Amino acid sequence: MKIVRPFVIVGSCVLLLTGCYSYKPVLAPQAGTEIRARLNSEAAVRRSQGFDEPVLWFDGRIVELSNDGIALDVLVMRSNTSFQSFEVRDTLRLENSEIASIMQRKFAAGRTALVTIGGAAAVFLLVKGIEQVVGGTGDEDGGGDPTFTLPIIAKWGVRFVPAIMRPLRK
């Protein structure tokens, strides 16, 4: 059981660092904000030429705002190797006539709390299930009940978690 403790500690730290984001419509974005600019159909067709998949929106940070459009700092390519990780960014100019809507990236506190609580509960139930099968941490006398109850709890969670998440998607 002492082997499981480092995994529980690392898992708990990862859960504390998680963050969920959503995009909310914004009328007047400010320079420096993370946005998603959804293109209208003509601009999407024009900007998709030469690509396998259609370009429907661009995600990026606003570099410059003007009366006739915006300049976005967008991610072009990201590479992670065992020795080095790097990303290539470019500034993209979008005219107001190309933009159907602009949505700002916002931190979703409710969704993050739900994911964190659910993850912590899953780690707790996993540890409890392992303790039941293995027989505890070895500190107390006797072994545990050799039944594994986690699949029953997991089956219950799979059934009810989507129902809880439905109101958060709006």
Side-chain angles (χ1 to χ4, degrees), residues 22 24 108 110-111 114 159-170:
S22 62
K24 304 286 182 189
R111 189 178 296 162
L114 186 63
R159 189 178 307 155
F160 291 108
V161 167
I164 294 170
M165 289 294 287
R166 225 174 279 136
L168 296 175
R169 291 184 187 157
K170 293 180 181 176

Side-chain angles (χ1 to χ4, degrees), residues 29 31 35 37 47 62-72 92-99 102:
I35 66 159
R47 295 212 180 241
I62 297 177
V63 177
E64 178 187 341
L65 285 169
S66 65
N67 291 336
D68 57 337
I70 60 173
L72 284 179
L92 176 72
R93 178 94 178 129
L94 293 173
E95 301 298 323
N96 286 339
S97 61
E98 296 180 302
I99 301 171
I102 296 177

Side-chain angles (χ1 to χ4, degrees), residues 148-157:
F148 189 65
T149 58
L150 185 62
I152 296 169
I153 296 168
K155 183 178 177 184
W156 174 83

